[in-house]
Amino acid sequence: MNSNLHTNEPEVSSLDVGELYIRYKNYAFSIAYRMLGSVMEAEDIVQDCFARIQSTSAQDIRNP
C-alpha cells in the first residue's frame, strides 16, 4: 500500500516549481491573506515561498 495520501501530488524527483506554483498559488494566497489581511503582503509571501522552493534541492523536499 502506498503511504502517500495525496496520489495526485508531483513526485519530488520530478519537482517542477512552475507546476507547483500553478497548482498551489491560489491556496497559498488564501492562507497568507487570512493571516496578514493585506493583498500585497500575501502576494509577496507567496512569491517568497515559491522562490525559496525553487532554490532548494528537490532531495531536501519531503512533501511538496
Side-chain angles (χ1 to χ4, degrees):
M1 179 183 265
N2 187 352
S3 62
N4 186 0
L5 297 176
H6 304 284
T7 56
N8 61 345
E9 295 283 335
E11 292 293 322
V12 173
S13 61
S14 64
L15 186 64
D16 178 11
V17 178
E19 179 183 332
L20 288 176
Y21 182 76
I22 290 167
R23 185 178 289 196
Y24 294 112
K25 115 179 138 169
N26 291 335
Y27 180 64
F29 175 81
S30 68
I31 293 170
Y33 180 73
R34 280 181 271 166
M35 292 175 70
L36 300 169
S38 165
V39 171
M40 291 181 70
E41 288 180 9
E43 288 174 346
D44 287 345
I45 291 297
V46 170
Q47 292 293 327
D48 290 347
C49 174
F50 284 100
R52 185 169 181 191
I53 290 171
Q54 190 171 21
S55 67
T56 303
S57 170
Q59 290 78 21
D60 294 336
I61 299 174
R62 292 187 193 140
N63 185 351

